[in-house]
Amino acid sequence: MSIDDRPTLAAPDDDPYLWLEDIESERALAFVAAQNRRTLAAYGDAGFERDRDLLAAIFDRPDNIPMVSRRGGLLYNQWKDAVHPRGLWRRTTLAEFRKAEPQWELLLDIDRLAADEGEDWALNWVSSLPPAHERAILALSRGGSDAVVLREFDLATKRFVADGFTLAEAKGSVDWLDQDTLLLSSAFGEGMATSSGYARTVRLWRRGEPVEAAKVIFAAGNSQSVWVRAGIDRSVTPARVWFSEGLDFFNHHLWLGDASGARIRLDLPTDCWMTADADWMAVKLRQPWSVGKTTHAADLVLGIPLSEFLAGSRAFVRLFEPGPRRALQGLYWAGGRLVLSILDELKPQFEVLTPSAEGWRSRLLPGLPAIATVNVWRLDIEETEGDGDLLANVQDPLTPPTLQLIEAFGAPAMLKQAPRTFTAEGYVVTRHEAISVDGARIPYTQTGPAEPTGDAPVYMSAYGGFGHTIRPAYNAALGKLWLERGGTIVEANIRGGGEFGTAWHDAGRYAGKRLAHDDFAAVAADLVRRGVTVPKRIAAQGGSNGGILITNMLVRYPERFGALFCTIPLIDMRRYTKLLAGASWIAEYGDPDKDEDWGWLQTYSAYHTARPGQPYPPILIATTRRDDRVHPGHARKMTAKLQAMGYDSYFYEPAAGGHGYGTDNRERASFITLGTRFLARHVGLEME
């Protein structure tokens, strides 16, 4: 019997499954429905229902930490639980929030709104008007998609504003100029979207004016640009407006202007990060930058008064020096000070820099642990409204998160403690390094029993893309469903991430993406070498960019894994630029329409390299229909091809979820439970 293994590397465009890219077509939905029935029949048993309900109850616990941000002196939170699966938007005071059971003022019941309007609403984000924050634009998403409907909301009356600002579904953002004027960066309207589906203009939208009549004050100057954005900077009076044109995912032109439009394009490297406050600016470089006779190295942070820079001075002060394994993770202003988030050999540090005419004074934030996963961010949405208060989240794989308040850049004080949701006795967290194919040291974190058995059921994961750093955290779901049942969890810091700066990211970009996949396979081999486990008991999961990773483990390293779970994935590297936001990622992967780039893309396009007759492990590929970032066609087509070649492959696609695992806690619990039980069954982890 002949097996159809199209598309192939020899004929990459001979694709018999293009019809699965038509997301809502009758034929495609019939395929999805049949696949869902098959998967749930095999894995959606009573044990699945029990574990799903167990996880949903954990996600819905009333003592989970309510994450907050401050607007106009009040703390705002969006809360989800079993009674309110879509969520409540609410607020309280800091004094009330410090209590064990704070009282909340309800602003909007999203479940009631969805029921009243017959829509699958989720609240994606909010933009409110300072300083009073009495008016806000709510971004309502259908099923968790990135595209949103914009509606004006009155926080005093707690009602949507009749005849207020309203915009139909599109990707984009807004910022308030004043109570009657918005800066609108939206893909809505004829000619307003880039090829990636994001905004290509910034419009000045006045109250009562049809959006079609709103004046365009800034537009992409390059037909290949991926987006434009605008943000209002109120650290000076009158407020200034920063405009950005994204040339690709990592490069942009930055302009300074006002409500009438852009005025000055800053003479900065297009791939740098820049942040300004009052008359100070800080620049984080990505590549070396020569200014006159001085060359500043990659990953440095430079400081200078903005007025002097605009006048032509380049007398920068070096604010941060990187090291081989020391890299900046982020920077932001709080209370007139610059906060640097740093990883040094994967250990967190937070440095506070105070600028003045005499120079920049530096000190570390006190009282934070050196060995843990620590995130620190500004409490206030508007930097100019706060006095520098920060929030810190501290956790590790066996210690639930704590939310801490840092006032006046002093010692942190406990605000909230997340509940312990699984038994951690007898488990330890250790860090190791594998040696990849080219000799690079690849760190990974292992959480599991203190005494190895030699055949541990291992749950591996990694990301390895876009300079995104992975840090081990307390995972209530895997802790309950995997660790507590005797399993081990491994998180790998493969190349392509941001753990060690630009060079680490660049090594896993473009053709280097294949090398990042080698890193992950090297970690799997190291677990065997160290006597932790054996290949047939290693399960691996990856999502989005990690979907490329998992499908490459399937086709390149099948002998190292017992089962694979591939979520919301990117897989078809021949057509990815033609699907939804794909064109915006060319700077990470390359352009398949260019012969040179396709030369390396084809080496990790598993949709093309998958062949019949190979020892592929079982795989579950899962996506969501409302993912308007990574097209669900990737997952659908890969499943169809694998099944046509006779492989043990399953598929799952819920109707909602966006680029995530669900819009409510029960949906998220279902997605995670299905994948975890699939992996557990195939690697021999006892789940009953």
Side-chain angles (χ1 to χ4, degrees), residues 246-508:
L247 306 177
D248 59 36
F249 201 89
F250 306 110
N251 290 271
H252 65 283
H253 286 151
L254 184 63
W255 299 74
L256 177 59
D258 54 29
S260 64
R263 292 287 173 265
I264 303 169
R265 196 177 100 185
L266 271 65
D267 179 24
L268 290 170
T270 58
D271 59 356
C272 73
W273 305 345
M274 194 286 290
T275 181
D277 181 77
D279 192 37
W280 298 98
M281 67 180 285
V283 179
K284 187 266 183 184
L285 300 180
R286 177 177 168 78
Q287 302 292 342
W289 184 32
S290 294
V291 183
K293 296 182 179 180
T294 302
T295 297
H296 301 289
D299 294 339
L300 281 173
V301 177
L302 307 173
I304 193 172
L306 177 60
S307 57
E308 294 182 13
F309 178 84
L310 295 175
S313 172
R314 297 298 181 264
F316 291 105
V317 175
R318 294 188 177 183
L319 306 179
F320 170 79
E321 297 270 1
R325 311 274 278 190
R326 182 174 190 261
L328 187 78
Q329 302 299 303
L331 69 169
Y332 54 88
W333 294 93
R337 296 172 174 87
L338 183 68
V339 181
L340 305 182
S341 173
I342 301 162
L343 281 184
D344 192 342
E345 289 286 359
L346 299 178
K347 297 176 182 178
Q349 294 179 349
F350 297 90
E351 190 172 353
V352 179
L353 297 163
T354 305
S356 70
E358 290 72 40
W360 295 71
R361 290 185 289 107
S362 170
R363 68 182 182 90
L364 292 178
L365 277 179
L368 294 170
I371 301 177
T373 293
V374 183
N375 292 302
V376 175
W377 66 97
R378 191 175 65 228
L379 172 59
D380 294 277
I381 291 291
E382 291 282 330
E383 194 276 332
T384 55
E385 292 185 355
D387 51 9
D389 289 350
L390 305 172
L391 290 175
N393 183 297
V394 180
Q395 60 187 303
D396 67 43
L398 297 177
T399 307
T402 62
L403 183 65
Q404 304 177 17
L405 176 64
I406 301 173
E407 296 181 283
F409 303 97
M414 176 82 72
L415 282 175
K416 302 291 178 184
Q417 170 75 63
R420 186 174 298 279
T421 57
F422 61 88
T423 301
E425 293 179 10
Y427 293 90
V428 294
V429 181
T430 54
R431 181 159 285 159
H432 309 272
E433 288 187 340
I435 305 302
S436 194
V437 293
D438 63 346
R441 295 154 47 212
I442 311 302
Y444 63 94
T445 302
Q446 177 179 319
T447 305
E451 297 298 328
T453 62
D455 64 347
V458 173
Y459 188 111
M460 282 185 66
S461 64
Y463 186 74
F466 296 93
H468 177 65
T469 296
I470 295 295
R471 285 178 280 183
Y474 190 82
N475 189 317
L478 290 183
K480 194 67 178 177
L481 299 189
W482 200 273
L483 276 183
E484 198 172 82
R485 292 168 177 173
T488 294
I489 296 174
V490 170
E491 292 178 283
N493 300 105
I494 64 177
R495 281 172 285 190
E499 290 86 347
F500 303 125
T502 299
W504 192 255
H505 173 211
D506 284 351

Side-chain angles (χ1 to χ4, degrees), residues 557-573:
Y557 290 100
E559 72 284 355
R560 298 193 185 184
F561 299 92
L564 300 169
F565 182 32
C566 179
T567 63
I568 50 175
L570 193 63
I571 302 173
D572 178 0
M573 303 311 292

Side-chain angles (χ1 to χ4, degrees), residues 103 163 244 344-345 452 512 623:
Q103 296 297 307
D163 301 321
S244 176
D344 192 342
E345 289 286 359
T623 185

